[in-house]
């Protein structure tokens, strides 16, 4: 079990009252799933990802991620959980502009205090996964958006996390690039059994998913497991 | 991680350039101004020591009380014996006699009638003592274009170039000084002008004359007398601690409360004006350094804030990737240290070069000092002293660290729950 939520409720203060962004979410996500949270804007996808990614805490109920009780984690413990075990991919790649592709990927390992040779092996491996070994020395502004997102995938994958969380990873990409990165992630999901959780509106993404959890107004309205067509 | 930080600084000009410039300029000006102030102070001390106060000065108690009137009737009598004695007591000092006397400098025409007359203060020194000539900077002050030279024989006089120009006195002209002897009778002394002097100092250049002390003694009836005995450290530089020690033992041995003609000793810092300057300069340095830290910190705080705003998403990603807030804060401080070091070192090097150039070349401000008759140099020089190596460096570095420590606190206000939203744009 990678993720489990029990009666998870998230409320945000709005003026004097509260807005319930997540309302009694109960889900289980197993190792190796390739799963999407789908729903209209404002349905609570990002809010749920935040809690699973230990960036935020539930208001009521709880979530267990990789065996850790999210609501009980200190800031330090949640930082360590993210650092060691969870990879993040953002809609706008958010690479460090002054560092090379190599250094961007390496950064996650610097935080783990890995030795230089350990870092080198892991970074080159990650760049190979995403097909960017030849761009290792390039700066983000010298490569395309699709390549940037592949660097972001390499950055998330380099530490070999159990779980990768991606919020609208294809929102800024064209069709071909979207396919390419999803293909890459799917391959990694198969080869390394890394669990992927997406939040998405994107039809193109949905085709790749093994399982889709539909959210609406902070509630799970449907949870379906799909047989993906292999591409 | 160090390499990561270092590369960030080197490659991200926006991160480093402005703070480096700010720190460099701040440090440069601190050092430059301090060096300048020290140079002026040092020159002032030198001039005072060389011309008026010595490192220590011996006079009779009565003379000391009315020193400004140069009352030669109260001069020390029995100078030779006293000199022998203090030379034995204080072998670390060089002792020299000087006499000052006031009078009318009279320029006669061909017939011996007075052509021009002006008040003058004459200084009588030992021209056979090369050190005295150096101390009073006479060789340099000799005006070059009229064949001025030092007195070679008895009866020769050096007069200020100002005075000579005003009264059209030429080299080899005869002049007289009319005054009174030590015992109060009329003194009429004749000299041949052998040179004119320009010290570049208003007080010294105004109506001054220098004669040999042997001549003066003869005319003033001061054969074994001297109004002032100057003591100079043989090592060269003034040392207040030692000067005070010497003063103490001297007073104990020679000064007698019941005899106003017994000798007394003054040190250079007993001069009230000089003491005030000294403490003023010290305070000014302290104030300058504090102001520097204060202003620089505020400026750098602001550049730091701009920096954390500009790097908002970078810090967001780093938080998401699991770097702790305190660790990000630490890297900001390391960055500040590196940038502060670069700026402080650059500023210090430039400042020291600036001070060195000013020390070697000087800055002539005699034009602005026309009406000032203080014992002050009119060529401003700087002085390179050891404290200049850290007086700007440390404040520059501290200000950079302080400014960024304040600006970096913004990190702690970041809310990780908002990261995905913030990073969407
Ligand atoms: N920090 C917050 N304070 C107040 N309300 C919030 C906050 N974060 C989210 N919400 C509200 O919670 C609801 C769910 O937001 P969330 O961002 O999870 O939606 P989403 O499904 O990700 O939408 P989108 O597809 O537009 O990204 C929205 O109505 C939003 O306004
Ligand atoms: Mg969202």
């Amino acid at each position: 079990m990678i993720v489990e939520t029990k009666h998870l409720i998230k409320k945000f203060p709005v003026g004097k009252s509260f807005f319930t962004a997540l309302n009694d979410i109960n889900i289980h996500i197993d190792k190796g799933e390739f799963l999407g949270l789908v729903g209209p804007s404002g349905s609570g996808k990002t809010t749920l990802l935040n809690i699973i990614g230990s960036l935020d805490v539930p208001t009521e109920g709880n979530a267990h991620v990789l065996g850790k009780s999210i609501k009980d984690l200190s800031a330090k413990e949640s930082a360590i959980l993210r650092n060691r075990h969870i990879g993040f991919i953002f809609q706008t790649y958010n690479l460090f502009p002054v560092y090379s592709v190599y250094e961007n990927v390496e950064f996650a390992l610097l935080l783990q205090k890995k030795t230089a040779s350990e870092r080198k092996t892991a970074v080159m491996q990650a760049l190979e996964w995403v097909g960017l070994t030849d761009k290792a020395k390039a700066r983000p502004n010298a490569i395309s958006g699709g390549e940037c997102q592949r660097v972001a995938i390499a950055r998330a994958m380099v530490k070999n996390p159990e779980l990768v969380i991606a919020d609208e990873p294809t929102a800024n990409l064209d069709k071909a690039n979207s396919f390419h990165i999803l293909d890459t992630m799917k391959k990694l999901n198969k080869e390394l059994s890394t669990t992927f959780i997406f939040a998405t509106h994107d039809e193109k993404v949905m085709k790749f998913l093994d399982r889709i959890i539909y959210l609406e107004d902070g509630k799970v309205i449907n949870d379906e497991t799909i047989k993906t067509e292999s591409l | 991680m160090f390499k990561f930080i270092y590369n960030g600084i080197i490659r991200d000009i926006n991160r480093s350039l402005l703070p480096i410039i700010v720190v460099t300029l701040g440090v440069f000006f601190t050092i430059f101004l301090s060096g300048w102030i020290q140079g002026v102070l040092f020159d002032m001390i030198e001039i005072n020591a060389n011309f008026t106060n010595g490192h220590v000065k011996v006079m009779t108690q009565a003379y000391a009380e009315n020193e400004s009137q140069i009352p030669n009737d109260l001069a020390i009598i029995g100078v030779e014996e006293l000199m022998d004695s203090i030379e034995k007591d204080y072998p670390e000092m060089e002792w020299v006699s000087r006499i000052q006397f006031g009078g009318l400098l009279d320029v006669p025409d061909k017939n011996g009638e007075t052509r021009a007359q002006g008040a003058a203060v004459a200084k009588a020194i030992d021209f056979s003592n090369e050190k005295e000539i150096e101390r009073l900077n006479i060789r340099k002050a000799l005006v070059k274009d009229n064949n001025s030279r030092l007195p070679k024989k008895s009866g020769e006089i050096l007069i200020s170039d100002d005075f000579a120009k005003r009264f059209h006195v030429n080299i080899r002209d005869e002049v007289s000084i009319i005054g009174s002897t030590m015992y109060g009778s009329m003194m009429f002394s004749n000299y041949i002008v052998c040179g004119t002097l320009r010290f570049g100092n208003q007080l010294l250049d105004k109506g001054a004359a220098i004669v040999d002390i042997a001549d003066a003694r003869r005319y003033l009836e001061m054969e074994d007398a001297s109004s002032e005995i100057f003591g100079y450290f043989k090592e060269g530089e003034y040392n207040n601690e030692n000067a005070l020690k010497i003063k103490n033992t001297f007073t104990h041995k020679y000064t007698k409360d019941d005899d106003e003609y017994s000798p007394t000793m003054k040190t250079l810092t007993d001069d009230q004006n000089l003491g005030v300057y000294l403490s003023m300069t010290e305070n000014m340095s302290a104030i300058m350094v504090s102001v520097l830290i204060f202003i620089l910190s505020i400026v750098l705080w602001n550049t730091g804030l701009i920096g954390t705003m500009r790097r908002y998403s970078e810090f967001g990603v780093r938080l998401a990737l699991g770097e702790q807030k305190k660790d990000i804060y630490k890297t900001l401080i390391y960055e500040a240290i590196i940038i502060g070091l670069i700026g402080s070192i650059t500023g210090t090097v430039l400042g020291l070069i600036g001070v060195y150039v000013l020390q070697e070349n000087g800055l002539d401000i005699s034009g602005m000092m026309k009406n000032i008759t203080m014992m002050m140099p009119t060529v401003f020089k700087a002085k390179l002293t050891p404290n200049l190596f850290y007086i700007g460096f440390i404040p520059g570095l501290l200000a950079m660290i302080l400014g960024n420590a304040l600006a970096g606190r913004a990190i702690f206000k970041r809310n990780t729950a908002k990261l995905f939203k913030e990073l969407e744009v």
Side-chain angles (χ1 to χ4, degrees):
Chain A
M1 183 95 64
I2 298 285
V3 177
E4 180 177 37
T5 68
K6 277 191 188 140
H7 305 297
L8 172 64
I9 294 174
K10 181 70 190 179
K11 293 177 180 173
F12 293 111
V14 177
K16 284 200 177 110
S17 64
F18 288 93
F19 174 81
T20 306
L22 294 174
N23 194 355
D24 196 24
I25 305 283
N26 297 284
I27 54 174
H28 301 254
I29 300 170
D30 282 319
K31 185 173 167 65
E33 288 203 57
F34 202 72
L35 171 150
L37 304 174
V38 174
S41 188
S43 56
K45 304 182 293 292
T46 300
T47 307
L48 184 52
L49 282 190
N50 268 337
I51 292 170
I52 295 172
S54 80
L55 292 168
D56 203 355
V57 288
T59 314
E60 284 168 41
N62 198 4
H64 281 83
V65 177
L66 301 164
K68 302 269 194 272
S69 160
I70 293 296
K71 78 167 198 262
D72 299 318
L73 292 180
S74 66
K76 182 177 175 178
E77 286 165 336
S78 65
I80 290 171
L81 177 66
R82 292 198 297 277
N83 176 4
R84 299 271 161 77
H85 305 289
I86 305 178
F88 287 89
I89 297 169
F90 306 95
Q91 175 180 328
T92 52
Y93 336 118
N94 281 297
L95 302 178
F96 304 137
V98 297
Y99 296 100
S100 68
V101 164
Y102 182 95
E103 290 162 334
N104 264 281
V105 176
E106 187 186 27
F107 180 75
L109 300 177
L110 284 178
L111 295 181
Q112 295 184 3
K113 308 220 157 51
K114 290 268 202 301
T115 66
S117 69
E118 283 173 326
R119 295 200 302 267
K120 177 147 200 200
T121 320
V123 172
M124 289 321 285
Q125 170 73 75
L127 288 177
E128 203 180 304
W129 286 334
V130 298
L132 282 177
T133 39
D134 55 331
K135 297 275 161 89
K137 291 207 173 73
R139 296 278 182 82
N141 60 8
I143 59 178
S144 73
E147 286 169 331
C148 280
Q149 197 59 306
R150 277 147 67 194
V151 176
I153 295 168
R155 178 172 68 187
M157 290 304 299
V158 71
K159 54 196 181 187
N160 224 326
E162 285 90 333
L163 174 62
V164 171
I165 289 175
D167 197 359
E168 314 269 8
T170 56
N172 287 7
L173 296 178
D174 63 17
K175 199 170 172 189
N177 274 307
S178 298
F179 276 131
H180 191 138
I181 70 144
L182 278 162
D183 202 33
T184 308
M185 288 193 279
K186 185 88 201 193
K187 212 173 66 207
L188 290 167
N189 164 253
K190 289 268 125 46
E191 280 172 19
L192 307 167
S193 317
T194 312
T195 308
F196 281 79
I197 305 178
F198 301 92
T200 188
H201 297 292
D202 192 345
E203 294 288 331
K204 302 189 290 293
V205 176
M206 291 181 219
K207 282 193 218 153
F208 285 83
L209 300 174
D210 295 342
R211 178 178 166 197
I212 297 178
I213 295 176
Y214 292 93
L215 291 180
E216 214 174 282
D217 294 333
K219 285 197 176 117
V220 177
I221 52 163
N222 199 356
D223 183 345
E224 59 177 322
T225 305
I226 315 151
K227 283 260 174 282
T228 33
E229 51 211 286
S230 58
L231 291 157
Chain B
M1 202 66 185
F2 175 80
K3 207 174 139 213
F4 180 80
I5 295 168
Y6 179 79
N7 283 337
I9 290 170
I10 295 303
R11 294 178 196 165
D12 188 0
I13 284 296
N14 290 322
R15 193 180 305 180
S16 44
L17 192 63
L18 188 60
I20 286 178
I21 289 174
V22 171
V23 174
T24 302
L25 283 180
V27 170
F28 171 80
F29 279 114
T30 308
I31 292 177
F32 189 76
L33 291 178
S34 303
W36 190 0
I37 289 173
Q38 278 171 191
V40 170
L41 177 76
F42 186 80
D43 261 17
M44 239 152 70
I45 292 176
E46 286 275 275
I47 288 184
N48 268 284
N50 290 338
F51 283 85
T52 39
N53 288 315
H55 288 155
V56 296
K57 185 160 90 171
V58 177
M59 298 154 288
T60 65
Q61 295 186 78
Y63 183 98
E65 261 165 41
N66 301 297
E67 202 187 331
S68 59
Q69 297 160 29
I70 39 177
N72 279 326
D73 52 324
L74 306 174
I76 305 164
I77 298 176
V79 173
E80 262 173 53
E81 195 192 322
L82 180 60
M83 290 275 268
D84 283 348
S85 174
I86 55 179
E87 264 159 19
K88 259 189 226 108
D89 289 348
Y90 309 105
E92 71 272 32
M93 307 288 287
E94 196 210 332
W95 298 98
V96 293
S97 275
R98 284 186 205 164
I99 297 172
Q100 281 200 83
F101 58 101
L104 273 180
L105 191 62
D106 183 278
V107 188
D109 63 11
K110 263 177 266 164
N111 307 320
E113 305 282 321
T114 295
R115 173 156 67 88
Q117 230 174 29
V121 174
K123 206 185 274 296
I125 65 156
D126 182 0
F127 271 110
S128 65
N129 182 343
E130 183 59 33
K131 284 227 182 91
E132 281 282 272
I133 296 171
E134 255 169 43
R135 231 170 248 140
L136 298 173
N137 206 16
I138 293 173
R139 245 181 255 286
K140 260 201 192 147
L142 276 177
V143 172
K144 301 286 166 324
D145 50 17
N146 60 4
N147 295 320
S148 287
R149 60 164 176 77
L150 294 173
K152 274 189 205 154
K153 53 179 194 281
S154 157
E156 291 188 324
I157 188 170
L158 294 169
I159 63 172
S160 88
D161 200 52
D162 269 6
F163 192 96
K165 288 235 167 72
R166 209 146 26 101
F167 299 116
H168 307 286
V169 180
N170 296 316
I171 306 287
R172 277 191 297 281
D173 279 0
E174 231 176 77
V175 296
S176 311
I177 297 179
I178 303 161
S180 60
T181 69
M182 182 174 175
Y183 299 104
S185 49
M186 175 90 161
M187 175 199 75
F188 196 86
S189 51
N190 294 319
Y191 296 95
I192 304 283
V193 176
C194 68
T196 63
L197 297 169
R198 172 169 296 284
F199 287 102
N201 176 299
Q202 298 298 322
L203 195 69
L204 297 173
D205 282 336
K206 222 175 238 166
I210 304 182
V211 299
D212 191 72
I213 196 164
D215 287 345
R217 281 198 163 126
R218 205 171 64 247
Y219 285 124
L220 293 165
E221 297 182 67
M222 292 175 73
E223 291 301 350
D224 191 21
S226 205
S227 38
E228 297 169 344
I229 299 172
F230 290 75
Y232 291 97
F233 288 103
K234 285 183 178 157
E235 279 173 0
E237 295 224 344
Y238 178 67
N239 181 331
N240 200 34
E241 216 175 298
N242 291 347
L244 289 175
K245 269 187 213 147
I246 291 171
K247 181 184 166 178
N248 270 338
T249 57
F250 180 92
T251 308
H252 192 71
K253 180 167 174 191
Y254 296 96
T255 309
K256 306 202 165 45
D257 287 342
D258 53 357
D259 177 5
E260 63 170 345
Y261 292 101
S262 68
T264 178
M265 183 180 277
K266 260 174 63 171
T267 69
L268 185 56
T269 42
D270 284 338
D271 186 304
Q272 278 195 347
N273 293 329
L274 211 60
V276 171
Y277 285 137
L278 270 166
S279 61
M280 214 168 70
T281 320
E282 256 163 40
N283 290 340
M284 233 159 94
S285 293
I287 291 171
M288 239 167 57
V289 169
S290 320
V291 169
L292 174 78
I293 296 191
F294 185 72
I295 294 177
L296 272 192
S297 297
I298 290 187
V299 173
L300 293 168
W301 181 3
N302 279 288
T303 59
L305 282 177
I306 295 168
T308 46
M309 246 141 68
R310 207 171 51 80
R311 294 164 69 189
Y312 200 74
S313 64
E314 177 197 325
F315 297 142
V317 174
R318 287 167 65 173
L319 283 173
L321 292 184
E323 191 168 3
Q324 289 180 51
K325 287 175 180 175
K326 69 169 173 33
D327 291 332
I328 297 182
Y329 188 74
K330 260 192 236 162
T331 64
L332 278 181
I333 300 297
Y334 293 149
E335 277 183 17
I337 292 173
I338 296 172
I339 290 174
L341 280 175
I342 295 174
S344 291
I345 289 172
T346 318
T348 300
V349 169
L350 292 180
L352 292 176
I353 291 174
V355 170
Y356 180 76
V357 169
L358 196 59
Q359 173 176 294
E360 297 303 306
N361 300 322
L363 178 70
D364 195 339
I365 56 155
S366 52
M368 296 162 18
M369 306 282 288
K370 274 261 152 30
N371 303 313
I372 298 174
T373 53
M374 236 188 330
M375 273 298 233
M376 221 170 111
T378 46
V379 175
F380 266 11
K381 290 203 165 178
K383 183 152 169 68
L384 212 53
T385 51
N387 68 343
L388 294 183
F389 284 83
Y390 57 80
I391 197 166
F393 183 87
I394 293 174
L397 187 58
L398 277 184
M400 182 69 196
I401 296 171
L402 188 63
N404 281 274
L406 289 170
R409 290 178 312 167
I411 300 276
F412 295 103
K413 303 205 180 90
R414 290 293 285 271
N415 182 349
T416 52
K418 298 209 171 112
L419 288 178
F420 266 125
K421 288 236 161 58
E422 289 166 356
L423 295 174
E424 259 168 34
V425 275

